[in-house]
Amino acid sequence: MVLLHEISYKKVNNLQQKALKILGILTTLVMLFVLLGGALVTKTDSGAGCGQSWPLCHGVLLPENLEFETVVELSHRVVSAVAGILVLLLSVWSWRAVGHKRETKFLAILAFVFLMVQALIGAGAVVWGQSDVILALHFGISLISFASVLLLTLLIFEVDRKFDANSIVIDTRMRFHTIGIMLYIFIVVYSGAFVRHTDSNLACADWPFCTNSQWMSLPLNTPQWIQMGHRLAALLIFVWITYIAIIAFRNYQHQKVIYYGWMIAFGLVLAQVTTGAFVVITRLNLIFALSHALIISLLFGLLSYFILLISRSKANSKKNDWQL
């Protein structure tokens, strides 16, 4: 009887773990849709698709006349609401199931709080209107929530155990560059969102310079300064990640997660620059514009995971120092 009880308990526990993993994957995907939905709302000028009514749309649950802008804005609200429920469930469940891992509780709180802040900013923009500066923060806050959910899901899948994260040691130089690029990429993301919210996407008709035939000339107006400022910031992040990838290639081939991780990061930043160029060249083609938002979201999630590894590396270094 005792043996049967133990077998039954293990089966139930395995089912719960599988269900939690499915919830983690689903929540991560929905959060990605929230990010892309927000970008779609901005790029199609659908922010006023439901008027100044929130959470209802034009004062009702489902308007009769569904114009394109209304469908886009309403769909984004529905996906955001579903994301809020899923993130809450994932936060509570992961807290109870894998709360013994030191990052779990912090990430659970971070994911839910930042999703709520993002929703409140969106609601405030609809009802009262917001400045371009505040609206630009909207995407960055959503990124933090998405990254938190992604890291929670990775912890649930115990990815860290599969490559023995507890044995990873990252040197001071790599820590400095990883933390630095993580902080800087948030500035780049903010500048990109600021470009969108100030309608500066096509302030410069050429690429890579504002006017290729007069590449030495300075921007002529504020939108051009905003656009070229973002391009310069993006160039720096490309150069910086390329440099870090070279460091990883030369010094971290024995630590596969760091080595392959930075090779992927280089590929993502290259794709980010490419899609950014095509956004301008194709005059705001929606597919390239959404791809641009998707790639930066994936890059931010990857860099967030590097930060988690750095926190593990610091703990490992302290442990080794104590043993010595």
mmCIF file of all heavy atoms in Angstrom, residues 33-41 70-82 118 122 138 142:
data_model
loop_
_atom_site.group_PDB
_atom_site.id
_atom_site.type_symbol
_atom_site.label_atom_id
_atom_site.label_comp_id
_atom_site.label_asym_id
_atom_site.label_seq_id
_atom_site.Cartn_x
_atom_site.Cartn_y
_atom_site.Cartn_z
ATOM 1 N N PHE A 33 3.051 38.089 -27.531
ATOM 2 C CA PHE A 33 1.957 38.668 -28.315
ATOM 3 C C PHE A 33 1.550 40.036 -27.776
ATOM 4 O O PHE A 33 1.143 40.914 -28.538
ATOM 5 C CB PHE A 33 0.759 37.729 -28.329
ATOM 6 C CG PHE A 33 0.914 36.551 -29.252
ATOM 7 C CD1 PHE A 33 0.691 35.257 -28.792
ATOM 8 C CD2 PHE A 33 1.280 36.726 -30.584
ATOM 9 C CE1 PHE A 33 0.836 34.171 -29.644
ATOM 10 C CE2 PHE A 33 1.440 35.647 -31.433
ATOM 11 C CZ PHE A 33 1.215 34.361 -30.961
ATOM 12 N N VAL A 34 1.653 40.215 -26.461
ATOM 13 C CA VAL A 34 1.357 41.528 -25.867
ATOM 14 C C VAL A 34 2.343 42.570 -26.391
ATOM 15 O O VAL A 34 1.957 43.687 -26.773
ATOM 16 C CB VAL A 34 1.417 41.460 -24.326
ATOM 17 C CG1 VAL A 34 1.369 42.866 -23.711
ATOM 18 C CG2 VAL A 34 0.265 40.632 -23.781
ATOM 19 N N LEU A 35 3.623 42.208 -26.421
ATOM 20 C CA LEU A 35 4.652 43.116 -26.942
ATOM 21 C C LEU A 35 4.395 43.466 -28.409
ATOM 22 O O LEU A 35 4.420 44.635 -28.802
ATOM 23 C CB LEU A 35 6.032 42.482 -26.797
ATOM 24 C CG LEU A 35 6.649 42.477 -25.392
ATOM 25 C CD1 LEU A 35 7.856 41.560 -25.361
ATOM 26 C CD2 LEU A 35 7.050 43.873 -24.973
ATOM 27 N N LEU A 36 4.141 42.437 -29.205
ATOM 28 C CA LEU A 36 3.902 42.664 -30.633
ATOM 29 C C LEU A 36 2.590 43.410 -30.859
ATOM 30 O O LEU A 36 2.485 44.246 -31.768
ATOM 31 C CB LEU A 36 3.881 41.328 -31.381
ATOM 32 C CG LEU A 36 5.201 40.565 -31.418
ATOM 33 C CD1 LEU A 36 5.040 39.235 -32.139
ATOM 34 C CD2 LEU A 36 6.293 41.395 -32.089
ATOM 35 N N GLY A 37 1.588 43.121 -30.026
ATOM 36 C CA GLY A 37 0.311 43.818 -30.141
ATOM 37 C C GLY A 37 0.450 45.293 -29.844
ATOM 38 O O GLY A 37 -0.138 46.141 -30.531
ATOM 39 N N GLY A 38 1.244 45.620 -28.825
ATOM 40 C CA GLY A 38 1.488 47.027 -28.517
ATOM 41 C C GLY A 38 2.195 47.734 -29.646
ATOM 42 O O GLY A 38 1.871 48.880 -29.990
ATOM 43 N N ALA A 39 3.177 47.031 -30.255
ATOM 44 C CA ALA A 39 3.881 47.611 -31.400
ATOM 45 C C ALA A 39 2.932 47.799 -32.580
ATOM 46 O O ALA A 39 2.999 48.810 -33.291
ATOM 47 C CB ALA A 39 5.045 46.706 -31.800
ATOM 48 N N LEU A 40 2.027 46.838 -32.778
ATOM 49 C CA LEU A 40 1.060 46.927 -33.872
ATOM 50 C C LEU A 40 0.111 48.108 -33.666
ATOM 51 O O LEU A 40 -0.213 48.821 -34.621
ATOM 52 C CB LEU A 40 0.264 45.628 -33.974
ATOM 53 C CG LEU A 40 -0.770 45.548 -35.104
ATOM 54 C CD1 LEU A 40 -0.083 45.652 -36.457
ATOM 55 C CD2 LEU A 40 -1.573 44.247 -35.004
ATOM 56 N N VAL A 41 -0.325 48.302 -32.424
ATOM 57 C CA VAL A 41 -1.200 49.438 -32.110
ATOM 58 C C VAL A 41 -0.517 50.753 -32.468
ATOM 59 O O VAL A 41 -1.107 51.641 -33.098
ATOM 60 C CB VAL A 41 -1.600 49.430 -30.619
ATOM 61 C CG1 VAL A 41 -2.258 50.752 -30.228
ATOM 62 C CG2 VAL A 41 -2.552 48.282 -30.324
ATOM 63 N N THR A 70 -10.211 49.789 -34.405
ATOM 64 C CA THR A 70 -10.933 49.274 -33.239
ATOM 65 C C THR A 70 -10.588 47.814 -32.991
ATOM 66 O O THR A 70 -10.367 47.396 -31.848
ATOM 67 C CB THR A 70 -12.448 49.413 -33.441
ATOM 68 O OG1 THR A 70 -12.769 50.784 -33.694
ATOM 69 C CG2 THR A 70 -13.209 48.946 -32.204
ATOM 70 N N VAL A 71 -10.519 47.027 -34.061
ATOM 71 C CA VAL A 71 -10.178 45.604 -33.938
ATOM 72 C C VAL A 71 -8.776 45.445 -33.359
ATOM 73 O O VAL A 71 -8.544 44.616 -32.464
ATOM 74 C CB VAL A 71 -10.280 44.895 -35.306
ATOM 75 C CG1 VAL A 71 -9.736 43.468 -35.208
ATOM 76 C CG2 VAL A 71 -11.718 44.874 -35.787
ATOM 77 N N VAL A 72 -7.826 46.240 -33.838
ATOM 78 C CA VAL A 72 -6.433 46.143 -33.373
ATOM 79 C C VAL A 72 -6.346 46.509 -31.889
ATOM 80 O O VAL A 72 -5.755 45.772 -31.088
ATOM 81 C CB VAL A 72 -5.511 47.063 -34.201
ATOM 82 C CG1 VAL A 72 -4.107 47.107 -33.591
ATOM 83 C CG2 VAL A 72 -5.425 46.583 -35.638
ATOM 84 N N GLU A 73 -6.938 47.633 -31.506
ATOM 85 C CA GLU A 73 -6.878 48.079 -30.112
ATOM 86 C C GLU A 73 -7.615 47.118 -29.188
ATOM 87 O O GLU A 73 -7.111 46.770 -28.108
ATOM 88 C CB GLU A 73 -7.484 49.482 -30.001
ATOM 89 C CG GLU A 73 -7.675 49.994 -28.580
ATOM 90 C CD GLU A 73 -6.382 50.209 -27.826
ATOM 91 O OE1 GLU A 73 -5.306 50.221 -28.446
ATOM 92 O OE2 GLU A 73 -6.450 50.367 -26.591
ATOM 93 N N LEU A 74 -8.796 46.667 -29.609
ATOM 94 C CA LEU A 74 -9.586 45.753 -28.776
ATOM 95 C C LEU A 74 -8.888 44.412 -28.620
ATOM 96 O O LEU A 74 -8.870 43.826 -27.521
ATOM 97 C CB LEU A 74 -10.974 45.560 -29.394
ATOM 98 C CG LEU A 74 -12.026 44.830 -28.539
ATOM 99 C CD1 LEU A 74 -12.229 45.542 -27.200
ATOM 100 C CD2 LEU A 74 -13.346 44.729 -29.283
ATOM 101 N N SER A 75 -8.296 43.921 -29.697
ATOM 102 C CA SER A 75 -7.567 42.648 -29.633
ATOM 103 C C SER A 75 -6.386 42.751 -28.669
ATOM 104 O O SER A 75 -6.122 41.820 -27.895
ATOM 105 C CB SER A 75 -7.065 42.250 -31.029
ATOM 106 O OG SER A 75 -8.141 42.085 -31.916
ATOM 107 N N HIS A 76 -5.695 43.885 -28.715
ATOM 108 C CA HIS A 76 -4.560 44.083 -27.810
ATOM 109 C C HIS A 76 -5.013 44.092 -26.354
ATOM 110 O O HIS A 76 -4.348 43.526 -25.479
ATOM 111 C CB HIS A 76 -3.853 45.400 -28.153
ATOM 112 C CG HIS A 76 -2.684 45.706 -27.276
ATOM 113 N ND1 HIS A 76 -1.634 44.831 -27.090
ATOM 114 C CD2 HIS A 76 -2.398 46.797 -26.499
ATOM 115 C CE1 HIS A 76 -0.751 45.359 -26.263
ATOM 116 N NE2 HIS A 76 -1.197 46.542 -25.888
ATOM 117 N N ARG A 77 -6.166 44.694 -26.099
ATOM 118 C CA ARG A 77 -6.681 44.718 -24.724
ATOM 119 C C ARG A 77 -7.057 43.319 -24.247
ATOM 120 O O ARG A 77 -6.782 42.952 -23.098
ATOM 121 C CB ARG A 77 -7.912 45.629 -24.648
ATOM 122 C CG ARG A 77 -7.612 47.097 -24.861
ATOM 123 C CD ARG A 77 -8.845 47.933 -24.581
ATOM 124 N NE ARG A 77 -8.642 49.333 -24.931
ATOM 125 C CZ ARG A 77 -9.525 50.293 -24.680
ATOM 126 N NH1 ARG A 77 -10.669 49.985 -24.079
ATOM 127 N NH2 ARG A 77 -9.276 51.541 -25.030
ATOM 128 N N VAL A 78 -7.670 42.536 -25.123
ATOM 129 C CA VAL A 78 -8.068 41.173 -24.751
ATOM 130 C C VAL A 78 -6.839 40.315 -24.454
ATOM 131 O O VAL A 78 -6.784 39.612 -23.437
ATOM 132 C CB VAL A 78 -8.904 40.527 -25.881
ATOM 133 C CG1 VAL A 78 -9.129 39.042 -25.596
ATOM 134 C CG2 VAL A 78 -10.241 41.246 -26.025
ATOM 135 N N VAL A 79 -5.827 40.397 -25.332
ATOM 136 C CA VAL A 79 -4.603 39.617 -25.128
ATOM 137 C C VAL A 79 -3.901 40.055 -23.839
ATOM 138 O O VAL A 79 -3.399 39.221 -23.079
ATOM 139 C CB VAL A 79 -3.654 39.761 -26.334
ATOM 140 C CG1 VAL A 79 -2.320 39.082 -26.057
ATOM 141 C CG2 VAL A 79 -4.286 39.169 -27.576
ATOM 142 N N SER A 80 -3.896 41.356 -23.559
ATOM 143 C CA SER A 80 -3.273 41.871 -22.333
ATOM 144 C C SER A 80 -4.009 41.371 -21.093
ATOM 145 O O SER A 80 -3.381 41.046 -20.077
ATOM 146 C CB SER A 80 -3.252 43.399 -22.352
ATOM 147 O OG SER A 80 -2.458 43.887 -23.415
ATOM 148 N N ALA A 81 -5.340 41.299 -21.180
ATOM 149 C CA ALA A 81 -6.122 40.794 -20.051
ATOM 150 C C ALA A 81 -5.836 39.317 -19.801
ATOM 151 O O ALA A 81 -5.667 38.885 -18.646
ATOM 152 C CB ALA A 81 -7.614 41.004 -20.319
ATOM 153 N N VAL A 82 -5.762 38.547 -20.876
ATOM 154 C CA VAL A 82 -5.431 37.124 -20.757
ATOM 155 C C VAL A 82 -4.025 36.968 -20.167
ATOM 156 O O VAL A 82 -3.790 36.116 -19.299
ATOM 157 C CB VAL A 82 -5.517 36.430 -22.133
ATOM 158 C CG1 VAL A 82 -4.969 35.001 -22.048
ATOM 159 C CG2 VAL A 82 -6.950 36.418 -22.627
ATOM 160 N N GLN A 118 2.395 48.394 -16.863
ATOM 161 C CA GLN A 118 2.236 48.557 -18.307
ATOM 162 C C GLN A 118 0.768 48.757 -18.664
ATOM 163 O O GLN A 118 0.421 49.606 -19.499
ATOM 164 C CB GLN A 118 2.799 47.330 -19.020
ATOM 165 C CG GLN A 118 2.602 47.319 -20.522
ATOM 166 C CD GLN A 118 1.565 46.312 -20.975
ATOM 167 O OE1 GLN A 118 1.159 45.443 -20.211
ATOM 168 N NE2 GLN A 118 1.119 46.443 -22.188
ATOM 169 N N GLY A 122 -1.054 52.139 -20.302
ATOM 170 C CA GLY A 122 -1.888 52.031 -21.490
ATOM 171 C C GLY A 122 -3.276 52.601 -21.260
ATOM 172 O O GLY A 122 -3.819 53.317 -22.118
ATOM 173 N N HIS A 138 6.374 52.550 -22.201
ATOM 174 C CA HIS A 138 5.402 51.463 -22.222
ATOM 175 C C HIS A 138 6.016 50.161 -22.735
ATOM 176 O O HIS A 138 5.862 49.094 -22.123
ATOM 177 C CB HIS A 138 4.216 51.890 -23.092
ATOM 178 C CG HIS A 138 3.018 51.010 -22.988
ATOM 179 N ND1 HIS A 138 2.703 50.067 -23.932
ATOM 180 C CD2 HIS A 138 2.048 50.926 -22.046
ATOM 181 C CE1 HIS A 138 1.590 49.450 -23.590
ATOM 182 N NE2 HIS A 138 1.170 49.945 -22.453
ATOM 183 N N SER A 142 6.995 46.614 -20.657
ATOM 184 C CA SER A 142 6.494 45.320 -21.128
ATOM 185 C C SER A 142 7.642 44.330 -21.327
ATOM 186 O O SER A 142 7.494 43.131 -21.059
ATOM 187 C CB SER A 142 5.739 45.505 -22.446
ATOM 188 O OG SER A 142 4.642 46.376 -22.281
#
